[in-house]
Structure formats: C-alpha cells, structure tokens
C-alpha cells in the first residue's frame, strides 16, 4: 500500500513536487499507455496548482489535455467539466483564446445540465478572463456579470470582489 507523506508546510510541498515532477510526468505517461484513466486524471488534476505556480505552462497544458481524454474515457460528466475548465484556463494563459472559449463553453454546458452553480460560476469566470485577453469587452462584461450573479448566490465574498473588479474593467 502507498501511504501519503506528511509535508510540514507549503515550501516543503513545493520542494517535493519539484523533486518528483519528472516522475509524476512519467507516471502519467505510463498510466496513459495502459489506459488507467482514473490514474491519468488524478495525476493531471493534482499537479495543476504546482505547475501554474512554477510557470510550467506547456506541461500543464499537456496534463490538462490528458485529463480531458481520461475524463471522456471515464464517462463522468463532473470530472469532464473540471477537466475542460482546466484545459480552457491553460489554453487562455498560453494565448489560444479561441480553443479556451470552446472548451470552457463545453464545461459550462455540463455544469448547467447538472445544475452545478459553482461550476457555472467558475466556468464563466474563465470565459471572462479568456475574452478579456481578446479585448472583447462587451462579451467579457456579460460573462463577468453572470459570474458575479452566481458568486453572489453562492455567498462567496472573495469571488464577488474579483468579479466586481472584472465588471469594472470591462465597463470602462
């Protein structure tokens, strides 16, 4: 059996991820070759924050693409929603806003179908950010306002503040 390692603090976790990053990539590739879809998804999903913090954007994109493929194979709509949202965020960060919007709209559709208000709010947030990079303020304002409405419903004050800021940027 595998037992988790207790890491003392965030710097210890970062050091662990830094040391193990090549092994985590290799494990994901092996799991992908063997069609261990659940493992591929977990290895992709659980490394996203580290890769974003370390600016490993291309590896983050590859992992997100593997995560979407694994989620599709698993047939789990919530996992697919999360994976598409993550892929869209990666694509937007790398400047592929057209692909980002397409993938995040798919995620939004799944979240809407499953009445996942938080999932809808986060998908709209990513759409807002992707569209903001294209200078389409009108469309971005719509996404920002709808995301704001949902985060208010969810009583998420930090997200409400972020979306108020976004609405202000689009409005000016």
């Amino acid at each position: 059996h595998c037992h988790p390692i207790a890491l003392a603090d965030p710097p210890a976790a970062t050091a662990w991820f830094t040391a193990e990053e090549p092994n985590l990539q290799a494990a994901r590739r092996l799991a992908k070759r063997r069609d261990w879809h659940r493992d591929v998804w977990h290895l992709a999903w659980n490394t996203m924050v580290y890769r974003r913090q370390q600016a490993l954007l291309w590896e983050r994109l590859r992992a997100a693409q593997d995560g979407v493929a694994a989620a599709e194979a698993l047939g789990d709509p919530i996992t697919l929603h999360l994976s598409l949202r993550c892929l869209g965020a990666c694509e937007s960060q790398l400047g592929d806003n057209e692909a980002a919007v397409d993938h995040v709209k798919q995620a939004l559709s799944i979240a809407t179908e499953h009445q996942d208000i938080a999932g809808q709010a986060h998908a709209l947030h990513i759409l807002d950010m992707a569209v903001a990079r294209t200078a389409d303020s009108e469309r971005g304002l719509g996404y920002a306002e709808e995301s704001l409405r949902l985060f208010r419903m969810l009583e998420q004050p930090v997200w409400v503040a972020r979306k108020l800021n976004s609405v202000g940027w689009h409005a000016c």
Side-chain angles (χ1 to χ4, degrees), residues 73-86:
L74 291 169
D76 176 1
I78 301 307
T79 301
L80 181 57
H81 158 79
L82 292 170
S83 299
L84 286 164
R85 222 172 67 197
C86 185

Side-chain angles (χ1 to χ4, degrees), residues 5-42:
I5 299 169
L7 300 169
D9 52 25
T14 299
W16 183 89
F17 271 105
T18 300
E20 297 299 331
E21 172 68 9
N23 297 322
L24 293 167
Q25 289 179 36
R28 190 183 77 244
R29 287 191 303 269
L30 174 64
K32 185 177 170 182
R33 281 194 307 273
R34 300 221 172 145
D35 293 330
W36 296 341
H37 306 298
R38 177 88 35 213
D39 296 319
V40 171
W41 188 83
H42 281 289

Side-chain angles (χ1 to χ4, degrees), residues 2 8-9 22 32 35 44 49 53 58 79 85 124 136 142 144 149 171:
C2 184
D9 52 25
K32 185 177 170 182
D35 293 330
V49 172
Q53 290 172 342
W58 290 103
T79 301
R85 222 172 67 197
L124 287 161
D136 185 349
R149 184 184 73 75

Side-chain angles (χ1 to χ4, degrees), residues 60-140:
R60 188 169 182 248
L61 176 67
R62 285 187 290 276
Q65 290 166 333
D66 288 350
V68 168
E72 288 172 338
L74 291 169
D76 176 1
I78 301 307
T79 301
L80 181 57
H81 158 79
L82 292 170
S83 299
L84 286 164
R85 222 172 67 197
C86 185
L87 177 58
C90 293
E91 290 165 333
S92 179
Q93 284 184 312
L94 290 166
D96 191 352
N97 293 302
E98 188 175 317
V101 168
D102 180 55
H103 287 122
V104 179
K105 280 185 175 181
Q106 290 176 51
L108 177 60
S109 177
I110 294 167
T112 302
E113 180 183 330
H114 291 275
Q115 300 176 342
D116 177 359
I117 303 298
Q120 291 173 58
H122 286 287
L124 287 161
H125 164 71
I126 296 168
L127 284 169
D128 168 23
M129 297 295 100
V131 170
R133 290 182 171 106
T134 68
D136 185 349
S137 291
E138 187 174 323
R139 195 165 53 140

Side-chain angles (χ1 to χ4, degrees), residues 40-59:
V40 171
W41 188 83
H42 281 289
L43 285 162
W45 182 256
N46 291 314
T47 56
M48 286 296 147
V49 172
Y50 167 78
R51 290 183 177 130
R52 185 184 68 232
Q53 290 172 342
Q54 300 302 309
L56 300 171
L57 301 181
W58 290 103
E59 176 53 30

